[in-house]
Amino acid sequence: MYGLVNRAIQDMVCDLFDEATWEKIKQKAEVIEQQFLILEAYPDDLTHRLVKSASQELGLSSAEIMQAFGEYWVKFTATAGYQEILDMAGDTLPEFLENLDDLHTRIGVQFPKLQPPSFECTEVAENVIDLHYQSTREGLAPMVVGLVKGLGDRFHTAVDITQTESREAGCERDTFRIEYRAE
C-alpha cells in the first residue's frame, strides 16, 4: 500500500490518541520508518502489522480499527490535497459511490502501482443501494463500512449499512446494503 495510507493511520492514531501511542504501535509492529513517503509503495504486510498492533495497543478489534480508519480516510484525503478529485466524483452519496472506480482511475495517474478495489452499485429501492466490493486484498471490508459512514458525513446523509455477503464466508465478493436519507 502507498505511504499515504500508512500516514493516514499515523495521523488517525495521533489525532484520536497521542504521539506516544503511535510510537508504541510502531514499535510493536516493528516498523522503523520515521515518516512514510506518501507516493512510496510499501508492502501490504507493513500496513497489516500496524493495524494488528493498533488493535492490541488500543484494545479494539482489527475490524473496529479498519472501520474507524475508513471514516477517518474520507476526511484525511480531503485535507491531504485530494479535495478536487473527490469533488469530481459526485455531489451526493449515491453518485459518489457509483463513481468510485473512476475516482481510482484518476488517482492511479499519481500512484502507478495502485491496486484499487472495484465497486459496483445496484439500486434496490428508493434510497437503498447494494454496494458490491471486490479487492485482491483481504480483510478490508470493515474499512468499506467506515468509508460509507464517512461519506455519509461528507454529504450530510444519514447512512445505515449492513454487510449482506462476505468473502470470508465464501461468497465471491463483499456486498453491503446501504439505506440513506438526506439530513
Side-chain angles (χ1 to χ4, degrees):
M1 290 191 207
Y2 275 94
L4 182 67
V5 172
N6 297 325
R7 175 83 59 87
I9 293 171
Q10 175 180 348
D11 286 4
M12 180 182 80
V13 170
C14 291
D15 286 353
L16 299 177
F17 299 94
D18 55 34
E19 187 76 32
T21 302
W22 171 247
E23 289 302 322
K24 289 177 191 173
I25 290 168
K26 258 182 39 175
Q27 185 176 18
K28 261 186 188 163
E30 299 178 359
V31 172
I32 57 172
E33 282 80 5
Q34 291 303 309
Q35 273 296 38
F36 293 106
L37 303 175
I38 288 174
L39 298 176
E40 182 76 25
Y42 292 87
D44 286 359
D45 177 63
L46 185 146
T47 307
H48 291 295
R49 290 192 329 259
L50 286 171
V51 170
K52 182 179 179 185
S53 296
S55 172
Q56 293 167 349
E57 184 65 30
L58 302 174
L60 300 168
S61 70
S62 292
E64 290 170 316
I65 298 287
M66 292 306 296
Q67 183 174 328
F69 179 68
E71 290 183 59
Y72 188 85
W73 180 253
V74 173
K75 296 173 188 115
F76 176 83
T77 53
T79 60
Y82 298 93
Q83 182 66 48
E84 188 175 310
I85 291 173
L86 293 172
D87 288 345
M88 291 175 14
D91 296 324
T92 65
L93 176 67
E95 186 178 321
F96 193 94
L97 294 174
E98 188 67 43
N99 290 318
L100 280 171
D101 283 359
D102 291 338
L103 173 73
H104 284 112
T105 299
R106 283 190 216 104
I107 292 170
V109 172
Q110 189 174 10
F111 297 93
K113 295 179 184 173
L114 186 69
Q115 298 172 12
S118 179
F119 294 90
E120 181 184 329
C121 292
T122 305
E123 188 174 344
V124 177
E126 186 176 345
N127 295 337
V128 181
I129 295 172
D130 277 350
L131 179 65
H132 308 285
Y133 162 74
Q134 290 184 298
S135 176
T136 58
R137 294 182 166 102
E138 299 288 329
L140 299 182
M143 184 178 170
V144 174
V145 173
L147 286 168
V148 171
K149 288 181 177 185
L151 288 169
D153 290 344
R154 175 182 170 85
F155 293 111
H156 309 289
T157 302
V159 174
D160 292 316
I161 180 169
T162 306
Q163 188 165 2
T164 58
E165 292 182 353
S166 170
R167 280 191 348 184
E168 289 182 6
C171 296
E172 183 178 313
R173 60 188 176 188
D174 294 290
T175 299
F176 303 89
R177 173 74 41 100
I178 302 167
E179 298 180 39
Y180 62 94
R181 62 199 167 285
E183 295 179 328

